[in-house]
Amino acid sequence: LSERPLLTLEDVLDPLLCAVVVRDSSGRLLIANKAYEVILGFRPPEVVLSSNELPSVSITDVEGKLVSPTDWPAATVLAGRSVSDLTLSLIRPDGRKVWLRVDAARIEKPQLGTLTVSTFIDVTHRQEAEETARIESARATQLLTVLQRLHQQQAGIAELGRLALVGMAPPELMDHAVALVDSTLKPDYVRILELLPDGNNLQLRAGTG
């Protein structure tokens, strides 16, 4: 058994595509795999083993609200709350925004005290695709609303033409026109005014609002 090669923690963690981070209860970084730097963009772990590396990082939730350091995954599990399948965004040191799926757990080690283990999976492409889909859906809904309104307007105009052709009296025809404009455009006021023979004054013939 003594001749068998030892399996190190790096052998296990470094091939993983997700970032794995272990911190102590003060936030000091103890362990981080290679994906930590690739995904989160921070310096290699050996440079920051003796310090808390995240004092000024900006983290936001899916609604764009800034997440307080007291609610970061490691702090959350230290407070006794669970963190599972949580989606957050982070601004990397190079300025690029990444979306992360985060899981975190709290473990107790007699010699080291309370530790937190956090995993980060880059879901930026998925989140951006979902956002694009939401935008396109909103645009489609807006376009459908416009088309429906145009259809109502065209149908109303056609109906006014039909009523005029069948000889509806002008006062009733004007009332129908006012009702059409009111129902399709939703204005505060609709007025039909007649220019009087003196050429200077107008008389209200139909209106609403």
Side-chain angles (χ1 to χ4, degrees):
L1 290 175
S2 61
E3 295 179 358
R4 294 178 61 183
L6 296 177
L7 185 65
T8 66
L9 194 58
E10 288 77 11
D11 293 332
V12 177
L13 297 181
D14 283 346
L16 298 178
L17 298 180
C18 66
V20 181
V21 179
V22 179
R23 295 180 181 274
D24 64 17
S25 58
S26 69
R28 186 168 61 96
L29 181 66
L30 300 179
I31 299 172
N33 64 345
K34 288 183 178 179
Y36 172 76
E37 181 182 7
V38 174
I39 296 176
L40 278 71
F42 295 110
R43 294 174 295 167
E46 62 267 22
V47 179
V48 292
L49 285 178
S50 61
S51 66
N52 179 358
E53 193 191 330
L54 301 177
S56 60
V57 68
S58 176
I59 298 177
T60 56
D61 61 18
V62 291
E63 297 179 351
K65 297 178 181 178
L66 190 65
V67 178
S68 168
T70 58
D71 293 322
W72 289 356
T76 298
V77 294
L78 283 176
R81 304 190 303 273
S82 63
V83 175
S84 178
D85 199 15
L86 178 65
T87 301
L88 298 172
S89 69
L90 178 144
I91 304 298
R92 291 163 41 104
D94 60 10
R96 184 164 66 89
K97 181 179 181 178
V98 293
W99 285 96
L100 306 167
R101 199 201 78 180
V102 186
D103 294 276
R106 168 178 169 169
I107 58 177
E108 302 290 342
K109 299 295 291 184
Q111 296 178 340
L112 298 174
T114 302
L115 306 178
T116 62
V117 181
S118 304
T119 61
F120 304 86
I121 298 176
D122 189 344
V123 293
T124 303
H125 292 308
R126 184 194 73 183
Q127 199 70 20
E128 290 177 346
E130 291 177 354
E131 180 64 21
T132 299
R134 283 194 292 270
I135 293 174
E136 292 301 325
S137 177
R139 288 175 177 172
T141 301
Q142 291 174 349
L143 178 60
L144 181 60
T145 300
V146 171
L147 291 176
Q148 289 174 337
R149 183 173 297 175
L150 288 173
H151 175 72
Q152 291 174 346
Q153 293 172 356
Q154 291 171 348
I157 292 172
E159 177 64 9
L160 285 177
R162 187 190 68 81
L163 294 174
L165 289 175
V166 298
M168 176 175 280
E172 294 181 61
L173 191 61
M174 286 186 285
D175 287 339
H176 273 76
V178 166
L180 169 66
V181 174
D182 183 55
S183 63
T184 56
L185 300 182
K186 307 297 183 183
D188 293 328
Y189 305 98
V190 182
R191 295 186 297 177
I192 295 179
L193 302 172
E194 178 186 5
L195 182 63
L196 295 180
D198 61 15
N200 295 317
N201 296 290
L202 296 168
Q203 181 179 358
L204 179 67
R205 297 296 304 273
T208 185

